């Protein structure tokens, strides 16, 4: 397959360049700093993930969207959580489209010239603010449950369907 | 809806409310152990043994569903797209006010994707992006959505929206982006992990979420005793979202 061999030589070239750091070959290294701060290894052997990450991602996305399989190993969210720091040291947000090209995926994809549309939809950096607690949004007039798990108890179901008129409390 | 019909419904609702009293405690006892959304092992596919459904009692929804809408916005990050005009903003769930012209009786209900068993949006989709999962959840597989918007036209509940602009910093669990259609997906990412949809969690006093195929689930018991009407039942779409107090 000519395409595959082309890619292989392309990647080989990139690797060669990485091996020759300091020779100023003009080939940028992928920005591995955020990931290396968290783990020693990728989810697959480095040589394998480098070549086959798109295969893993494509397979996993159909498994998730169609079959509801939620394993984390090949999840795009997990790649981003490990490989991308939400902000730089100066506090600015890291995005895939930034001119700086220090987003992990951009740091290689810009160089190899493969356009990704994934981040038109997918968050390209880990979420900063955590999930808010929905219960706190309830107004004071709303019946408030004691349980944090938000599971109604017996008295709730008794009330459910008892025909209290909505307008009266609105 | 004629006045007589409305009256009859109220009367029936009151009757069934009484009937529920004797059954309810048993219903609850069973679900304390099972849980409304049993956690599925992450590596297991969903199955058609389950059909997710939601029962909304609009009489107990004292804010008319506003807190449900807020919770959905926060979970999925829609409603604040910077360049969209108000009428272009995405709307996964909205509140609809209904007034009886004769009596002036008025109430508000939340309307979102009704998760039909026979979804018209799936029938018209040219790519198969508009899909029904095995467990009855209707959603858009955005990876193959081409943004033609046929499904938006086909949906009798006006449940779907289109994203017109480039977005950044979406919620990681709810990717959404330019050129694709989107709608309520019953919070698949939560349900798959044994959590309630965000809106059900925000209105626990009025919403029961669960498995309509399991006769012992709290929702099945509730629809069995209390009923639960479909919006536009005349279309025979067999919706997964049902209402009390319409």
């Amino acid at each position: 397959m000519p395409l595959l061999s082309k890619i292989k030589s392309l990647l080989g070239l990139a690797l060669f360049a990485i091996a020759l750091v300091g020779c100023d070959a003009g080939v940028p290294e992928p920005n591995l700093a955020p990931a290396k701060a968290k783990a020693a290894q990728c989810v697959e052997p480095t040589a394998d993930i480098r070549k086959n990450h798109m295969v893993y991602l494509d397979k996993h996305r159909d498994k998730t969207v169609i079959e509801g399989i939620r394993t984390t190993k090949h999840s795009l969210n997990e790649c981003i959580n490990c490989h991308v720091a939400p902000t730089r040291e100066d506090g600015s947000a890291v995005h895939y489209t930034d001119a700086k090209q220090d987003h992990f995926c951009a740091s290689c994809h810009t160089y190899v010239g493969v356009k990704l549309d994934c981040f038109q939809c997918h968050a390209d950096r880990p979420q900063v603010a955590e999930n808010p607690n929905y219960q706190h949004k309830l107004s004071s007039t709303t019946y408030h449950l004691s349980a944090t798990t938000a599971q109604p108890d017996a008295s709730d179901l008794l009330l459910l369907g008892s025909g209290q008129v909505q307008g009266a409390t609105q | 809806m004629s006045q007589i019909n409305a009256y009859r419904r109220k009367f029936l609702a009151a009757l069934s409310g009484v009937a529920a009293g004797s059954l309810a405690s048993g219903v609850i006892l069973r679900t304390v152990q099972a849980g409304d959304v049993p956690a599925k092992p992450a590596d297991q596919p969903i199955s058609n043994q389950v059909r997710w459904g939601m029962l909304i009692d609009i009489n107990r929804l004292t804010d008319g569903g506003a807190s449900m809408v807020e919770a959905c916005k926060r979970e999925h990050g829609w409603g604040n797209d910077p360049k969209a005009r108000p009428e272009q903003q995405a709307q996964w769930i909205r509140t609809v006010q209904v007034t009886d012209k004769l009596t002036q009786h008025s109430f508000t209900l939340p309307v979102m994707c009704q998760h039909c068993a026979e979804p018209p949006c799936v029938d018209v989709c040219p790519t198969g992006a508009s899909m029904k999962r095995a467990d009855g959840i209707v959603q858009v597989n955005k990876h193959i959505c081409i943004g033609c918007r046929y499904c938006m036209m086909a949906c009798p509940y006006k449940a779907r929206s289109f994203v017109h602009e480039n977005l950044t910093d979406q919620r990681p669990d709810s990717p959404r982006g330019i050129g694709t259609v989107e709608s309520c997906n019953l919070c698949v990412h939560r349900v798959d992990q044994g959590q309630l949809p965000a809106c059900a969690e925000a209105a626990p006093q009025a919403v029961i979420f669960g498995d309509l195929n399991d006769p012992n689930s709290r929702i099945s018991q509730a629809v069995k005793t209390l009923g639960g009407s479909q919006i536009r039942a005349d279309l025979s779409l067999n919706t997964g979202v049902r209402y009390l107090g319409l």
Side-chain angles (χ1 to χ4, degrees), chain A residues 65 67-68 70 77 95 120-121 123 125 127 131-132 134-135 137-138 145 151-152 157 160-161 164 166 169-170, chain B residues 17 36 40 42 45-46 57-59 61-62 74-75 107-108 139 169-172 175-177 192 201-202 204:
Chain A
V65 176
E67 298 175 44
R70 298 274 167 186
N77 264 344
H95 286 298
Q120 284 179 2
C121 291
R125 57 184 190 137
Q127 192 170 330
N131 233 345
Y134 304 117
Q135 296 306 312
K137 259 295 185 205
L138 291 180
L145 286 170
Q151 296 287 342
L157 199 74
L160 206 88
Q164 168 200 359
Q166 191 184 45
T169 43
Q170 241 176 352
Chain B
D36 285 342
K40 170 184 77 65
I46 48 172
D57 185 342
I58 59 168
N59 285 329
L61 211 52
T62 44
R74 231 166 314 128
E75 181 69 26
F107 58 87
T108 307
Q139 63 171 1
D169 279 333
Q170 296 89 331
R171 307 285 316 219
R176 47 190 299 267
D192 282 344
E201 196 172 286

Side-chain angles (χ1 to χ4, degrees), chain B residues 145-229:
Chain B
C145 173
I146 55 170
C148 73
R149 291 166 264 182
Y150 279 13
C151 58
M152 291 176 68
M153 304 309 292
C155 175
Y157 304 105
K158 216 175 155 185
R160 287 205 163 158
S161 310
F162 182 73
V163 181
H164 296 260
E165 61 187 290
N166 282 309
L167 302 175
T168 51
D169 279 333
Q170 296 89 331
R171 307 285 316 219
D173 283 327
S174 190
R176 47 190 299 267
I178 189 167
T180 55
V181 173
E182 58 185 16
S183 61
C184 160
N185 56 11
L186 281 181
C187 287
V188 272
H189 60 289
R190 294 170 63 98
V191 171
D192 282 344
Q193 286 162 0
Q195 288 175 287
L196 289 172
C199 62
E201 196 172 286
Q205 80 286 3
V207 178
I208 300 182
F209 179 84
D211 180 4
L212 288 166
N213 277 355
D214 172 5
N216 294 325
S217 71
R218 218 154 47 95
I219 187 170
S220 296
Q221 297 280 329
V223 290
K224 193 174 162 197
T225 38
L226 307 174
S229 29

Side-chain angles (χ1 to χ4, degrees), chain A residues 83-151:
Chain A
H83 272 287
V84 183
T87 52
R88 298 186 186 90
E89 285 192 343
D90 61 2
S92 59
V94 177
H95 286 298
Y96 177 75
T97 45
D98 286 351
K100 265 190 154 168
Q101 295 167 16
D102 53 352
H103 183 283
F104 171 66
C105 309
S107 67
C108 184
H109 270 254
T110 318
Y111 178 70
V112 296
V114 179
K115 209 171 151 193
L116 286 185
D117 69 352
C118 315
F119 302 114
Q120 284 179 2
C121 291
H122 287 270
D124 54 4
R125 57 184 190 137
Q127 192 170 330
V128 193
E130 253 320 297
N131 233 345
N133 180 357
Y134 304 117
Q135 296 306 312
H136 288 169
K137 259 295 185 205
L138 291 180
S139 70
S140 55
T141 51
T142 315
Y143 179 74
H144 210 123
L145 286 170
S146 48
T148 48
T149 49
Q151 296 287 342

